[in-house]
Amino acid sequence: MSGGTFVGMPAFPAAAREAVGDATLRANLRHATHTIRDKRARAVAELSDWDRLREAGKRIKDHTLRHLDHYLVRLEESVERAGGTVHWAADAEEANRIVADLVRATGETEVVKVKSMATQEIGLNEALEAEGIRAYETDLAELIVQLGHDRPSHILVPAIHRNRGEIRDIFRKEMGHWGRPAPDGLTDTPAELAEAARLHLREKFLRAKVGISGANFMVAETGTLVVVESEGNGRMCLTLPETLISVVGIEKVVPAWRDLEVFLQTLPRSSTAERMNPYTSMWTGTTDQDGPSAFHLVLLDNGRTDTLADEVGRQALRCIRCSACLNVCPVYERAGGHAYGSVYPGPIGAILSPQLRGTGSDIDASLPYASSLCGACYEVCPVAIDIPEVLVHLRERVVQGGEATRGGNRVTLRPAKGHAAERAAMRAAGLAFARPGALRAGQRLASRTRRLHPRTLPGPGRAWSATRELPEVPAEPFRDWWRRTRGGNSGGTTEGSDR
Amino acid sequence: MRVALFLTCVNDTLYPDTGRAVVKLLTRLGVDVDFPMAQTCCGQAHYNTGYRHQAEPLARHFSDVFGSDAYDAIVTPSGSCGAMVRELYPRMGERARAEGRGDGLARTVAPVVPKTYELTEFLVDVLGVTDVGAYYPHTVTYHPTCHGLRALGLADRPTRLLRAVEGLELVELPGADECCGFGGTFAVKNADVSAAMGADKVRNAESTGAEVLCAADNSCLMHIGGTMARLRTAVRPVHIAEILASTEEEPLS
Ligand code: SF4
C-alpha cells in the first residue's frame, strides 16, 4: 500500500486522541453508525437461514483461497476467452504503472472512476495525476472526499465524518474547479445536494472515454466481474466509456456463478441493510456494439499472497468489504476512520493493514491494539472472520516478533521497538503467577501498604488514573480470609499443592 | 456436588468480597465449595496482549491445580476468565500442535475445559435454579460484559437470576451490549478511546435512574466504577454474586 495518502501517520492512540476530542465528528459518527447498525440487525433478522448463509460464505471463500492459484488461472482463461486482457500486478507500483500505460495508450487525459477500495489502496488517483491524467470519482461520497481534498474514513460511506452543512460548503467552493459548478443558492437538503452532484457528474460520464473500476466479485468459471452499488453512477462508468480497466484484488475471485447466490444476499444486508442492492452490474469481456470495446483486468497482489501464507491471519482475505464491522465497533465510533491510517479503517483495517503492509511502521504496529476485543465485529461479519483472534495473533507478532512472509519470502521478524519494559513485566508476572507463594507475598505487601497507595499512577498507568479512580486495596486478600476461616476443614489436600 | 472456586487473581487481590459472596451463595445452595490455594491467574492478560507463550505455563498451572477428579465443576465469577479457559485454552493447545510442539498442552488442558463454568451459567445450567433465595431491595441495571455476552453466550441467564431476587427492580440499560471500554491493556494503551467508552457507559447507566449497576466481571466493574467515582455519579457498581448472596437476614454490607 504505497498509496501515499496515509504515509507518516502517527500511531493509533495519538491519531485517535484528536478524534475523541472532536464533538462534531463524534456526533456525526455516532448518529451514522447507530442508524445503520440498527437497520442491519433488522434486515438480517428477516432471514431465517442467516447462520447458514454466513457459514456458506465462509466456506466458499476458504475453499477458493486454498486453491487460489487454480481459480486465478481459470479466471484468466475465461476473461481472455471473452475478449478481455489480463494483467498481473505484484504491488501497488506495478499496478499503477500498468493502468497509467493503458490510459496513455488511449490518448486520453481524463478517466471516470467507479468507487473502488483496491484503487484507493494503491493510490491510483495520485499516481495518475503524476502522469498528467485526471481521475474523477463518481460515487457521491467519494466525490465529496475528492472535492474536499480529504481522506476516506469509512469503507462504504467514505465521507461519513462529514455532515450536510459541510458537504454543501465543499460543493459550493470546489465543484467549479473540477467542472460544472454547484447551482447558485445550494442548500444542505439531501435532494439538492444529490441533484448538484448528478448534474456535475453527468458531464463527466458523457465525455469520458476511459472508465476505471474495481469489482466485488470475479467469477472464475465465466470470467464475469460484478459490482454492487446503490447509486447507479458505477453502472454509467461501466457502460459508457470505450475502454474499461478493472483493478481487483486477487482474493475477490469465486469459483462459480452459483456462488454469487450467497454473497448477493449477505453483502447488501450487511452493508446497507437492504434486501438487495439497487444496482448489480456484471460484465464479461467485451461485446460488439454494447458497452466498452476494450476491457483490461489488473489482478492485484500487493501483500495478499503474503497474508495467505499466515495460517491465522489469512481469514482476513475472506472479507467482502461490507463495513458491518466498522458500524458496530465502539472504537471506530469514537476514534473515527482516519486514525487507522489506511483506506481500510475499523476492525477489518486493524487486521488487514498490518498484514498487507507489514508491522514495520508505528501506525501498523499500533493497529492490532486498536480494539478492546469486545467481539462485536466477529458477531456481525457475514463471512465469520474472527477478527479478535487475528488481532491477538498480530499483537504477538508486534511484541514478540516471529515468522512471517514478506514479498514471498519467509522472514523472522524482530519485535517492534518500545515493548521491552512490557515484555519484562509480563515475564515477571508470569513467574509470580507460576508460584502462588509469590502472589500471596505480593498481595500481603499491597494490603499492608494500602494506606500509602497513590490515587494516580506513574508511567504508562497514568493514562488510566487520569480519567478513572483506582480501586482501593482491601485489608485482606480472599486467600487469607479463606485460610483464616476455612483453612482447618478443607485445606488438607489443597494446602499441599501450595508450593 | 463438590466444586472448585476459581476466583481469579483480580478478585482474590482486589475484590475478596465477591469471593466471599460466591462461597456464601453456593454453600447456601448445598454445594461443597473448595478453594484450591495453589491457584493464581488464568493468563488472560498475557494472552490478549500478545504473550501467548508466557500464558502457556499459566494454563498448565491452572490445569494442574483444577484438573483433579475430586471436583465436579470449576466455577468462576468472571465471564472473561471463564472464556479464557473454555475458549482460548483449547485454541492455545491447537496452536502449540500446529507449531510442531506436540499435543502436550492440548492434553493437559483438556480435563478442565468442559468443567469450567461462569457463576450464572453454573447456577442456571448445572444446579438448575433461577431463584436463589436472595433479597436485595434496590433498583438495578445490568451490564452484560462482552466476554459473558459473546464468548460464553450467557444470554439471559444473569437477568433471569436477578429478576427472581426479592425486592429487586431490574431496569434496562440503554446500549447494554456495547463494550464499556476496559479490554485489559486496551484501557492503558488506548486510554482516550477507553475513557470515552467508559463515560458513555456510565451516562447510560445514570439515565436509568438505577442505584446499582451490576455485572458478572469485576474487571469491567473496576473500569466502570472508577469512571463513576471520577464523574461523581450516584450509581454504584456491584458484582452479581454479591447481589445473589444477599439475604434478608444477611444483607449485603
Ligand atoms: S471483516 Fe467482515 S464485517 Fe468487516 S467489512 Fe469485511 S466482511 Fe464486512
Side-chain angles (χ1 to χ4, degrees), chain A residues 155 319-326 348 377 380-383 385 387:
Chain A
I155 291 177
C319 177
I320 56 173
R321 311 277 190 264
C322 72
S323 72
C325 57
L326 279 63
I348 182 62
C377 48
V380 297
C381 178
V383 284
I385 300 172
I387 295 176

